[in-house]
Amino acid sequence: MNAENYADETGRLERIVDFCRLIDREKFIQRRTYLTDGERFENDAEHAWHLAVMALLLSEYANEKVDVLKVMSIVLIHDLVEIYAGDTFAYDAEGLKTQKSRETAAAERLFSQLPEDLGDRLRSLWDEFESDDTPEAHFAHTLDNFQPMMLQAATDGKAWKEGGRKLSEVLHRNSRTSAGSEILWKYARTHFIAPQLRKGHLEMDIESL
């Protein structure tokens, strides 16, 4: 490798390393779902890791055959934009109104910091998740909804109780969860939602009837 090629390659490597350092900030983005001990909220990086492992373990339950590596890639990068856009709470009506525009601007800022080929690759995965029009994106969204419900059940509905959540809100939030896996959605309704409803940790309301 001559000096010019080495300089070019070093410049590329430096941009990638800078990006790897930047995404450490995902560990500081706090979500609103408690860890299984109920002591603190998980962060975005913990959430993404959890989804990636779940994709590896639960892919047989997808409605359609999926590329597991692609699903894992999607869930690992799907929340990176929150480094700039911040986390938008699932039940924050006002925040949800601007979520798309904030996150799109964040994606443009974030992925442009990589070499063009890598930036385009990660941006395409993020766009696929947002468009939600492939089997992999459907399943990624299912996992993104299934995991918080699993943690809710593990903490006996702690965040649902604290937020005074209603069944209609949870059902609305999960209106497309079955698109990726009807089996996982049925499991969640039976094992995560129904027990908390019976205990009164999730409020039954007229809208959910």
Side-chain angles (χ1 to χ4, degrees):
M1 182 181 293
N2 60 39
E4 182 178 350
N5 289 340
Y6 178 77
D8 289 343
E9 186 60 32
T10 300
R12 175 182 174 86
L13 178 57
E14 285 180 345
R15 290 185 69 182
I16 297 171
V17 172
D18 285 345
F19 188 83
C20 291
R21 186 179 302 113
L22 169 65
I23 63 174
D24 183 71
R25 290 166 59 180
E26 188 180 33
K27 299 172 186 175
F28 298 97
I29 307 298
Q30 188 181 75
R31 292 169 50 83
R32 298 282 292 274
T33 306
Y34 283 103
L35 298 176
T36 51
D37 65 359
E39 293 299 314
R40 69 168 176 87
F41 293 132
E42 67 175 352
N43 63 52
D44 268 0
E46 292 167 332
H47 173 66
W49 159 82
H50 208 171
L51 294 186
V53 178
M54 290 171 67
L56 185 63
L57 297 173
L58 295 172
S59 61
E60 65 187 275
Y61 299 107
N63 290 341
E64 303 173 76
K65 184 175 177 58
V66 295
D67 179 335
V68 178
L69 179 58
K70 190 174 188 182
V71 176
M72 294 174 72
S73 299
I74 289 173
V75 298
L76 283 170
I77 66 93
H78 80 292
D79 276 343
L80 286 180
V81 297
E82 294 184 0
I83 289 170
Y84 293 132
D87 177 62
T88 303
F89 182 42
Y91 302 106
D92 177 5
E94 289 303 310
L96 290 170
K97 292 177 182 178
T98 61
Q99 181 181 17
K100 181 65 175 179
S101 60
R102 286 185 289 105
E103 292 189 351
T104 299
E108 292 170 359
R109 178 182 177 188
L110 180 70
F111 298 126
S112 66
Q113 297 182 58
L114 280 166
E116 186 174 0
D117 61 319
L118 291 177
D120 288 347
R121 186 189 308 172
L122 266 63
R123 176 61 189 265
S124 70
L125 291 169
W126 185 80
D127 285 337
E128 183 171 343
F129 180 78
E130 290 299 303
S131 298
D132 193 17
D133 56 7
T134 65
E136 287 77 18
H138 293 332
F139 192 57
H141 275 280
T142 292
L143 294 175
D144 195 34
N145 293 340
F146 185 86
Q147 186 257 7
M149 288 189 288
M150 180 180 69
L151 296 185
Q152 287 286 359
T155 59
D156 209 20
K158 183 174 181 178
W160 280 344
K161 286 186 291 184
E162 290 178 348
R165 294 277 75 85
K166 299 176 180 179
L167 177 60
S168 61
E169 294 177 299
V170 174
L171 294 179
H172 178 72
R173 166 68 175 166
N174 287 279
S175 61
R176 287 189 48 77
T177 298
S178 64
S181 173
E182 293 179 3
I183 292 174
L184 292 184
W185 174 227
K186 181 178 180 179
Y187 187 95
R189 292 200 320 268
T190 303
H191 296 276
F192 302 155
I193 296 175
Q196 299 309 312
L197 190 60
R198 288 195 297 269
K199 294 178 181 179
H201 300 165
L202 191 59
E203 182 183 338
M204 174 68 81
D205 56 321
I206 191 67
E207 290 86 354
S208 62
L209 298 177

